[in-house]
Amino acid sequence: PVSLTIGQASTPTLSVNASTLSYSAVVGSSSPPSQSATISNSGGGTLSWQASVATAVGGNWLMVSPTSGTLSATQSGALSIGATLLSSLVPGTYTGTVTITATDSAGHIVAGSPQIIQVSFVVSAPCSVTTLPTTLTFAGVSGQTSVTAQPVTLTAGGACADPLSWSAASSSTWLVPAATTGSLSLSS
């Protein structure tokens, strides 16, 4: 007689549904919302997993929760991965990794371990307005009715999502702006 037994494989296999995550924020604003990644035991048996973070520069801006757990055969779990806008972060792109490792019940590394999620965090400068030149000097002759006008250029910079409204006024009667209101955006 021939007997055939069909059952689940007893070898756990680690898999993760994300290989990259991207975040962005503006200096002075709040941190971006956390994102989720799903870790799974796509094999059999039980695996124990651990998650850790590493950042190249910028300090401890990357976080993961929870940092450990177990998954039975074909079971999945969610990781919450977040980027914290630390006050020490200046405008630029920051990179980090979330590494998930797993072992079986005997302590052996399982198939698919480690899994690495690459994380990118773009920090932008806040919206700002600059003027060029920053100072004006006028020279005139006594009794002359006017002096030559001088242009001033307004430039929007940083993370300006919407047009900026501006106004100009003078506290002196001899200095009169040619335009007193307007708007500008990053493209103007």
Side-chain angles (χ1 to χ4, degrees):
V2 175
S3 66
L4 174 65
T5 305
I6 299 175
Q8 284 186 326
S10 60
T11 304
T13 302
L14 176 67
S15 62
V16 178
N17 74 336
S19 60
T20 61
L21 293 174
S22 298
Y23 299 88
S24 63
V26 176
V27 171
S29 68
S30 56
S31 296
S34 294
Q35 297 180 43
S36 293
T38 302
I39 58 173
S40 302
N41 178 358
S42 54
T46 299
L47 63 78
S48 297
W49 60 268
Q50 296 78 38
S52 61
V53 298
T55 57
V57 293
N60 297 325
W61 56 265
L62 182 59
M63 71 87 181
V64 62
S65 178
T67 57
S68 63
T70 57
L71 295 172
S72 300
T74 69
Q75 187 180 21
S76 296
L79 292 177
S80 176
I81 301 169
T84 303
L85 184 58
L86 303 173
S87 61
S88 59
L89 294 180
V90 297
T93 300
Y94 298 87
T95 58
T97 56
V98 178
T99 302
I100 302 108
T101 58
T103 56
D104 62 17
S105 57
H108 300 112
I109 295 172
V110 303
S113 178
Q115 292 284 322
I116 298 173
I117 302 172
Q118 302 289 335
V119 180
S120 173
F121 185 22
V122 177
V123 177
S124 301
C127 191
S128 63
V129 176
T130 57
T131 59
L132 285 176
T134 56
T135 60
L136 298 173
T137 303
F138 293 94
V141 177
S142 180
Q144 186 181 17
T145 57
S146 66
V147 294
T148 303
Q150 296 183 34
V152 174
T153 302
L154 300 176
T155 305
C160 300
D162 299 312
L164 301 172
S165 296
W166 60 267
S167 64
S170 174
S171 58
S172 300
T173 56
W174 62 269
L175 183 61
V176 179
T180 57
T181 62
S183 68
L184 66 138
S185 61
L186 285 176
S187 60
S188 62

